[in-house]
Amino acid sequence: MKYDYLVVGTGLFGAVFAHEAAKRGKRVLAIDKRSAAGGNCRCEKIEGINVHKYGAHIFHTSDERVWEYVNSLARFNNFVNSPYAFFKGRLYSMPFNMNTFYALWGVTSPRQAREKIAEQTAPYLGREPRNLEEKALSLVGPDIYNTLVKGYTEKQWGRKATELPPFIIGRLPLRFTFDNNYFNDRRQGIPEGGYNVLFDKLLENADVRTDTDYFADRAALEQVASKTVFTGALDEYFGKKFGALEYRSLRFETEVLDMPDFQGNAVINYTDREPAYTRIIEHKHFEKAVTDRTVITREYPAPMTEGAEPYYPVNDSRNEALADKYRALAKNEKNVIFGGRLGDYRYLDMDKVIASALAAADREFASN
């Protein structure tokens, strides 16, 4: 066999594992069915701006090993994610903080905000929520829910909030400070020059083939390497023998505008049911690019149809039970390492994907 490892998918899990294997002198072939490597982090240069082709990717972590790892490969800037929500012509700070509460109610102190929230949630406490709407009302009350949660959630999942299970919302974080930093993690930023810089380093010592569909030529590809690292859809690997896992997809509409700035912020969420998109991303703000024209992307939630890209696993009880069956099969699959969002059927932040890839490499090469 020509290679030690066949890596299926060049997103974060596959690229990190490929990098770790190549560092140890292993021969690696990384393939991707898309025309370029990098998975959903892939960027495209438009009007001198690094455009996030598959939605906003803002790196954040409290894992020092992961932070040092990515910074050893690419220089990260100091971007801080401070999104806003647009609802019926007004802007609200995200996450829910004192700026949000002031805009909603005019309160100016944490004590006043807590009292208002207690007043709003009181009618919904003490009862078992039957759906997402009842759960959210018990956490934040009707003003925050109707303004910032209901429409966005229903667009995201393609169903009414009263038809969604309550566990989708574990909690809705409330912050009683005037701090618009969306993440609590100690570190955050974006690679200077875009994510392609990071992936170029991760894959520099691997052979990379794009426009290569693993399932279209599976038998031949499995003969080129001793082991496979699989980051595609878990159920698809096993021929969906127990049935298909459910996903939600996304559609992106990117536009170049003849103006230097469109919305003054990287991300603005649209939390009413209309328009149909959930957010507008203005890419230049990720790296504070100075340009005469700007590039925006509208992000539309979409059903998972034939040929669509799977983005969000639907982690309800039925799908979790089904995924557990596939995970049991994966554990018994010799010479195959499964990982990534699709390979684990879990929604994972970027740092968690990197950490899991490093852990997989640690286990694989523990005796080396």
Side-chain angles (χ1 to χ4, degrees):
M1 291 186 176
K2 185 177 179 181
Y3 296 97
D4 298 300
Y5 294 92
L6 169 69
V7 176
V8 181
T10 60
L12 279 170
F13 189 97
V16 168
F17 190 95
H19 184 72
E20 292 303 299
K23 273 174 33 179
R24 293 166 171 86
K26 305 301 182 182
R27 299 160 300 166
V28 179
L29 172 63
I31 65 171
D32 204 295
K33 66 180 181 180
R34 288 176 174 168
S35 59
N40 291 341
C41 295
R42 184 73 189 178
C43 292
E44 179 182 7
K45 186 80 80 173
I46 302 175
E47 297 290 330
I49 299 165
N50 292 304
V51 172
H52 297 204
K53 287 188 67 174
Y54 304 103
H57 282 77
I58 301 153
F59 192 86
H60 57 98
T61 189
S62 293
D63 187 324
E64 288 299 321
R65 181 192 182 190
V66 170
W67 182 247
E68 290 174 8
Y69 185 81
V70 295
N71 276 271
S72 71
L73 300 163
R75 182 186 175 104
F76 277 64
N77 67 16
N78 61 349
F79 177 81
V80 173
N81 188 29
S82 302
Y84 285 83
F86 184 94
F87 181 82
K88 297 191 183 303
R90 297 194 65 187
L91 288 170
Y92 299 88
S93 296
M94 301 287 288
F96 314 141
N97 61 37
M98 284 303 300
N99 291 302
T100 319
F101 308 145
Y102 175 75
L104 279 169
W105 305 311
V107 297
T108 57
S109 71
R111 178 183 60 79
Q112 291 173 326
R114 290 179 190 277
E115 289 173 353
K116 188 68 177 179
I117 291 167
E119 172 192 315
Q120 293 238 321
T121 57
Y124 307 99
L125 299 178
R127 63 175 83 163
E128 186 68 25
R130 295 167 295 179
N131 51 56
L132 183 147
E133 179 164 289
E134 292 182 358
K135 177 70 173 291
L137 287 168
S138 71
L139 293 171
V140 295
D143 286 354
I144 294 175
Y145 171 69
N146 289 315
T147 304
L148 302 172
V149 179
K150 179 179 171 64
Y152 185 94
T153 302
E154 292 182 342
K155 287 190 289 189
Q156 185 72 22
W157 293 102
R159 293 162 61 186
K160 292 181 178 179
T162 52
E163 298 171 356
L164 291 166
F167 70 79
I168 287 179
I169 293 182
R171 63 187 182 90
L172 288 170
L174 300 170
R175 299 182 187 170
F176 296 92
T177 64
F178 290 92
D179 182 0
N180 289 336
N181 183 354
Y182 190 80
F183 299 119
N184 285 319
D185 287 311
R186 294 182 61 197
R187 313 288 190 182
Q188 65 180 296
I190 291 172
E192 294 180 0
Y195 281 95
N196 297 358
V197 174
L198 175 63
F199 281 88
D200 287 347
K201 292 293 291 183
L202 286 170
L203 294 167
E204 65 180 352
N205 293 315
D207 289 344
V208 179
R209 291 185 201 166
T210 54
D211 296 307
T212 301
D213 188 340
Y214 171 75
F215 292 104
D217 200 14
R218 181 172 182 171
L221 286 167
E222 287 178 342
Q223 295 304 309
V224 305
S226 304
K227 286 191 173 183
T228 297
V229 177
F230 184 79
T231 70
L234 182 60
D235 56 342
E236 191 174 6
Y237 181 89
F238 294 104
K240 301 183 181 179
K241 64 184 296 181
F242 300 129
L245 292 167
E246 288 183 88
Y247 295 89
R248 288 286 287 170
S249 189
L250 294 172
R251 178 173 65 84
F252 303 101
E253 184 182 90
T254 297
E255 183 180 0
V256 177
L257 301 177
D258 193 16
M259 60 180 71
D261 199 343
F262 173 70
Q263 63 186 20
N265 203 56
V267 180
I268 293 184
N269 294 342
Y270 284 75
T271 57
D272 205 350
R273 282 300 301 263
E274 296 295 334
Y277 47 83
T278 50
R279 68 189 65 170
I280 294 180
I281 304 159
E282 188 166 13
H283 303 269
K284 69 184 302 175
H285 295 294
F286 291 131
E287 299 181 66
K288 299 179 181 178
V290 179
T291 59
D292 293 330
R293 306 177 83 193
T294 192
V295 182
I296 64 169
T297 298
R298 296 177 181 87
E299 186 175 306
Y300 295 82
M304 189 62 203
T305 56
E306 187 68 28
E309 289 283 346
Y311 283 93
Y312 298 105
V314 182
N315 293 119
D316 59 16
S317 55
R318 189 196 77 84
N319 281 290
E320 274 303 295
L322 194 58
D324 282 342
K325 291 183 178 181
Y326 287 121
R327 291 173 188 136
L329 288 182
K331 286 181 180 178
N332 294 322
E333 193 75 3
K334 292 183 178 180
N335 298 323
V336 182
I337 298 167
F338 294 84
R341 288 185 180 183
L342 300 183
D344 285 336
Y345 193 69
R346 291 186 176 93
Y347 184 86
L348 299 169
D349 287 332
M350 288 186 286
D351 66 323
K352 301 299 189 296
V353 176
I354 292 172
S356 66
L358 291 173
D362 289 344
R363 291 191 297 270
E364 181 70 7
F365 305 116
S367 59
N368 289 22

